[in-house]
C-alpha cells in the first residue's frame, strides 16, 4: 500500500509563528479545577500564603481561572526561538510499517539539551524568579529531565539552582547529574541529611532510595528557609500546564496550515503537563462546543492515577509540607514497584486534567511497560528517533489506535506528543532487551492501603 505524500514529513512553522501568548484552558472550563488548600486549616491557599513558596507572578498565573490568553514576555519568546518551533512530524514510515490507513502525526519536543518539553516551563519559571529579584530557586528531579531543563534556564538568567535528585536516579544516572552541574546547578541526592524532613525520612526508612515526594519536601524546606529563594515545580501545577500550552498552540497552527483536523489526540501523563499543554487549544474548542475530539491520557499500569486512583484532596509530597491538591491520586506515599523503569511515577495528576477527566472530557488508559518498550523499539527503528520511555506510552496507544483503524478501514487522523528522547534511559532499554523487565501491576488491596491514608478533607 503506497501512501500519498501531500503533507511534508516535517511541518515547521516560521519563527514569527511561535505563539506570543499562552492559552489558559481554565478560562473555558465550566467546572474550574478545585483550589489548593492549606494543609493545616484546609482553607483555600491565599496568594500571600502561596507567595512564601512560589514566585509572585507564578502565583498569579496559578490562581488565574479567568484570562484566556496570557502574553509570553519577550525574553521568554526570545529563548523559545533557540529551540522552537518544534516540528510536527507526519509518521509516514510508521504508517507504512503498520500498513494502516490511519494518518499519524507527532509533535517532537526532544530537540533541546534537556531532551524534553520541560524547558518550555523551566524558562518561564526562571524568568519570573529573576524578574522578582530572587537569588535562586530549588526543585526536585526524578529521572533528571526537569532538573536539567531548570539548570539550563537558571544559567541563562544567572540564577542559583539547587536540585534535589531522587537518590536512585542520582546513582543510576550520573551523566544527567553532570549535565546539571555543567549548567551550574548544585545537585543533592534525596533524601539527604541537609534538611529536617530528609533526616526524618532517613530515620524512618534507613536505606531508602528516595521518591519524588521526598525530594519535593526537601526542596520546599530549603526554599522557605533561605531568603531570596523560591520553590519551582516542573509538572502538575496549573501554571506549568499554561506554559506548556505552547506545544498545543504550535501543533494546532501547523495542522491548520494544511487543513488537517485530528480525530484523536494522545499523550503520556505523569503529572499531566505535556498532555495538558498539547490538548489545551483542542480542549478549548471542545469545551466551547465548537469541535469534538477524542483525547486519551496514557499512564503506566504500575502507577495508574487516573485509571485506578480516586478523585480527592491529597498531599503533593511525602513530607506533607505542600498544599493539598484535589486530583486523581494513588496516595502521597505510593511508590511504584522497584522494577518499574518507564518513568511517569508521580502519585497524583494535574488538577486541571483531573477535573476534565472527571467531567468526561477525556479518556485514560494504562499500559504495561514491556508493551511500552516494544512500541519504543518499533518507533526507533522506523522513525529514527530514540524515544524516552515516558513518551513511548503515547506511541504505544497511537500504534494500538492505528491498528484498530486497520481492522475497520477507517482513515482517522491521530496526533500524539513525543515528549523527549531516551539517551539517558539505556538501563531501562537494557532491562527490556535482556528480558529482565516485568509488568508488575499493583493489586486492589495494595492500592486500598494507600487510599486509606488519604487526608480527610470535607
Ligand atoms: C517529565 C516527562 C514526562 C511526564 O511529565 P508530564 O508532566 O506528565 O508531562 C513525559 N515525558 C518526558 C520526556 C518527560 O521528561
Amino acid at each position: 500500500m503506497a501512501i500519498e505524500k501531500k503533507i511534508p514529513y516535517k511541518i515547521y512553522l516560521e519563527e514569527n509563528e511561535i505563539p506570543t501568548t499562552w492559552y489558559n484552558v481554565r478560562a473555558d472550563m465550566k467546572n474550574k479545577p478545585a483550589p489548593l488548600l492549606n494543609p493545616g486549616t484546609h482553607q483555600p491557599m491565599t496568594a500571600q500564603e502561596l507567595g512564601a513558596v512560589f514566585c509572585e507572578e507564578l502565583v498569579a498565573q496559578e490562581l488565574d481561572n479567568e484570562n484566556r490568553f496570557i502574553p509570553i514576555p519577550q525574553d521568554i519568546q526570545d529563548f523559545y526561538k533557540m529551540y522552537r518551533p518544534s516540528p510536527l512530524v507526519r509518521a509516514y514510515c510508521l504508517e507504512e510499517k503498520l500498513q494502516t490507513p490511519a494518518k499519524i502525526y507527532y509533535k517532537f519536543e526532544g530537540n533541546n539539551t534537556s531532551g524534553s518539553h520541560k524547558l518550555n516551563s523551566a524558562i518561564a519559571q526562571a524568568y519570573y524568579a529573576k524578574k522578582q529579584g530572587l537569588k535562586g530557586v530549588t526543585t526536585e528531579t526524578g529521572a533528571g529531565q526537569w532538573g536539567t531543563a531548570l539548570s539550563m534556564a537558571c544559567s541563562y538568567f544567572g540564577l542559583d539552582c539547587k536540585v534535589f535528585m531522587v537518590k536512585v536516579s542520582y546513582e543510576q544516572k550520573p551523566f544527567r547529574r553532570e549535565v546539571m552541574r555543567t549548567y551550574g546547578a548544585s545537585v543533592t541526592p534525596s533524601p539527604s541529611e541537609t534538611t529536617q524532613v530528609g533526616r526524618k525520612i532517613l530515620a524512618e526508612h534507613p536505606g531508602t532510595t528516595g521518591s519524588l515526594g521526598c525530594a519535593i519536601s526537601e526542596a520546599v524546606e530549603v526554599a522557605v528557609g533561605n531568603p531570596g529563594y523560591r520553590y519551582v515545580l516542573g509538572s502538575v501545577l496549573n501554571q506549568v500546564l499554561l506554559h506548556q500550552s505552547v506545544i498545543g498552540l504550535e501543533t494546532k497552527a501547523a495542522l491548520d496550515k494544511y487543513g488537517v483536523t485530528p480525530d484523536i489526540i494522545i499523550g503520556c501523563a505523569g503529572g499531566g503537563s505535556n498532555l495538558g499543554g498539547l490538548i489545551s487549544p483542542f480542549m478549548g474548542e471542545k469545551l466551547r462546543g465548537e469541535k469534538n475530539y477524542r483525547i486519551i491520557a496514557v499512564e503506566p499500569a504500575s502507577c495508574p492515577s487516573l485509571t485506578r486512583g480516586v478523585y480527592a484532596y491529597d498531599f503533593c509530597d511525602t513530607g506533607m509540607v505542600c498544599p493539598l491538591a484535589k486530583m486523581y491520586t494513588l496516595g502521597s506515599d505510593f511508590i511504584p514497584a522497584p522494577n518499574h523503569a518507564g518513568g511517569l511515577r508521580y502519585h497524583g495528576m494535574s488538577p486541571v486534567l483531573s477535573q476534565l477527566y472527571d467531567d468526561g472530557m477525556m479518556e485514560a488508559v494504562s499500559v504495561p511497560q514491556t508493551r511500552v518498550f516494544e512500541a519504543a523499539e518499533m518507533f526507533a527503528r522506523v522513525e529514527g528517533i530514540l524515544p524516552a520511555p515516558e513518551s513511548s506510552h503515547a506511541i504505544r496507544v497511537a500504534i494500538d489506535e492505528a491498528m484498530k483503524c486497520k481492522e475497520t478501514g477507517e482513515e482517522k487522523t491521530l496526533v500524539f506528543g513525543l515528549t523527549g528522547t531516551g539517551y539517558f534511559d539505556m538501563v531501562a532499554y537494557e532491562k527490556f532487551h535482556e528480558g529482565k523487565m516485568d509488568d508488575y501491576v499493583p493489586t486492589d488491596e495494595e492500592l486500598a492501603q494507600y487510599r486509606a491514608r488519604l487526608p480527610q478533607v470535607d
Side-chain angles (χ1 to χ4, degrees), residues 31 59 166 214 434:
N31 300 324
V59 169
V166 177
C214 297
E434 305 207 326

Side-chain angles (χ1 to χ4, degrees), residues 114-118 143 145-146 176 234-236 240-241 268-276 344 349 388-391 418-421:
S114 79
S116 81
H117 64 286
K118 294 208 171 65
Q145 288 98 317
W146 168 245
R176 269 271 180 226
S235 184
V236 184
V240 184
L241 267 73
C268 65
S273 74
N274 87 83
L275 178 67
L344 308 176
M349 185 56 64
E390 293 90 342
S391 325
L418 187 69
T419 50
T421 48

